[in-house]
Amino acid sequence: MADDEGVSHRAPEEAFGLFSHELRVEILFALWAADGHALPYAQLQDRVGERDSGKFNYHLSQVTGQFVGKEGDDYTLRYPGHRVIDAIRSGVLHREAEVDSVSLDAACPDCGASLTFTYEDYLGRVGCLDCASIVLSFPFDPGGIQDRSPPAVAAAFDRRTRLFWRFALAGVCPVCAGVVETRLASGAGSELDSHYADDHPAVLAVDCAGCSFYNYPPVGIAVLAHPAVAGWLYDHGVDPRTTPAWAFDCVVDPDRITVRGTDPWTVTVTLSAGGERLAVDLDERAAVTSLERRPADTDARL
Ligand SMILES: [Zn+2]
Ligand SMILES: [Zn+2]
């Protein structure tokens, strides 16, 4: 069915229901594994190993259209079919995974002990075992754990989490491509009960209008991608592309966030690198409004 804007709709429950029979998922995987993601009818039936032609034909017809296309004699995997496979390969639908904890080359902002990466219940966490505190946390799919050593999982967790946050801060949902709003909010607000950054005077609140994605990244994340900040860091020996989020004091240390007003929200984020400091002001939408170099900092972490 197509509406006035030419967008066709199917009830989501109906779309999910289409995969109630495993043969339909096997059809998608057979096309995915084929050259050009395309197979003629007889080869497709052969690949999924279903000898009952009536049964095979019925289940193929149920996924043909939205998930499987028809080009000449070939059945092809359409973009929505790829996305079904992606959801399965991410592992979140059917797998749980474990990762050994990883000692990280970064210090706890409270006690100075090494931070540790752990993974449990689909969440990557970076925290201090001595303080029993968490400084960063974000979901990570079990599909990202196979073929990686624990330190490589920690590195992948950092890259992926920061890209997800960067998408969201750019207004695009990293999960569904919907519209994401960003605002500053109190870290101790009731909506953030037991959130890892609830000791921060402010956090970023990002919320997708189209799906269940929402998150409260540390405010320091908003400044790292700004070109002037990235340039300042690079000039001070810190490459923001390869330095993990947990190594930035402006991300893990609440003392680096100063709230200057709440109506509207304005905050100053202070970075340190190479013994110097940079103060970055953000407006209520977490956009950088000004930068100021500060005198040398004797306890700079970076
Ligand atoms: Zn600690
Ligand atoms: Zn979304």
Side-chain angles (χ1 to χ4, degrees):
M1 186 170 72
D3 64 16
D4 292 344
E5 295 174 335
V7 180
S8 66
H9 294 286
R10 179 195 297 272
E13 299 83 354
E14 186 189 339
F16 263 100
L18 283 175
F19 293 99
S20 58
H21 197 287
E22 61 193 25
L23 190 55
R24 301 175 191 179
V25 177
E26 290 171 11
I27 287 169
L28 298 189
F29 271 90
L31 290 173
W32 180 50
D35 286 345
H37 308 306
L39 284 171
Y41 184 93
Q43 281 190 41
L44 179 55
Q45 182 178 3
D46 191 47
R47 297 279 174 94
V48 299
E50 178 53 62
R51 293 186 178 177
D52 183 335
S53 289
K55 183 178 173 185
F56 172 72
N57 193 46
Y58 170 70
H59 289 297
L60 176 59
S61 72
Q62 292 300 300
V63 291
T64 298
Q66 180 75 7
F67 302 97
V68 173
K70 187 86 194 297
E71 293 177 18
D73 291 336
D74 281 342
Y75 287 86
T76 60
L77 193 59
R78 298 192 69 213
Y79 175 71
H82 280 275
R83 294 305 306 273
V84 171
I85 287 171
D86 296 343
I88 294 169
R89 296 289 296 175
S90 76
V92 296
L93 301 180
H94 66 294
R95 279 217 320 259
E96 290 211 48
E98 293 184 357
V99 180
D100 291 341
S101 61
V102 180
S103 181
L104 303 170
D105 186 19
C108 168
D110 286 334
C111 76
S114 288
L115 293 174
T116 300
F117 172 80
T118 57
Y119 182 77
E120 187 181 0
D121 195 20
Y122 302 98
L123 280 176
R125 292 187 180 88
V126 174
C128 174
L129 299 181
D130 289 5
C131 299
S133 64
I134 305 290
V135 298
L136 281 180
S137 177
F138 199 78
F140 191 74
D141 294 350
I145 285 164
Q146 59 191 11
D147 305 327
R148 284 193 174 106
S149 66
V153 171
F157 165 79
D158 170 64
R159 299 286 168 84
R160 179 175 180 274
T161 301
R162 288 176 61 183
L163 279 172
F164 265 55
W165 282 337
R166 197 161 172 176
F167 266 113
L169 293 172
V172 181
C173 178
V175 180
C176 81
V179 176
V180 175
E181 295 281 348
T182 298
R183 61 188 171 83
L184 291 173
S186 168
S190 58
E191 61 187 333
L192 300 181
D193 278 352
S194 77
H195 183 255
Y196 64 84
D198 55 12
D199 58 339
H200 288 219
V203 293
L204 302 165
V206 296
D207 192 6
C208 176
C211 77
S212 69
F213 175 79
Y214 71 93
N215 207 238
Y216 299 100
V219 175
I221 290 295
V223 308
L224 294 178
H226 190 280
V229 175
W232 182 86
L233 286 168
Y234 196 69
D235 288 345
H236 288 74
V238 179
D239 187 336
R241 296 169 303 181
T242 55
T243 305
W246 51 78
F248 288 99
D249 49 7
C250 67
V251 172
V252 301
D253 188 348
D255 292 342
R256 299 306 171 98
I257 312 298
T258 305
V259 175
R260 292 183 294 113
T262 56
D263 187 23
W265 274 87
T266 51
V267 302
T268 300
V269 178
T270 308
L271 297 86
S272 56
E276 293 187 10
R277 286 192 172 191
L278 182 70
V280 184
D281 293 340
L282 300 174
D283 67 14
E284 59 189 324
R285 299 284 171 209
V288 172
T289 55
S290 67
L291 301 93
E292 183 190 352
R293 290 160 194 263
R294 294 269 169 88
D297 172 21
T298 52
D299 66 356
R301 190 166 295 117
L302 283 167

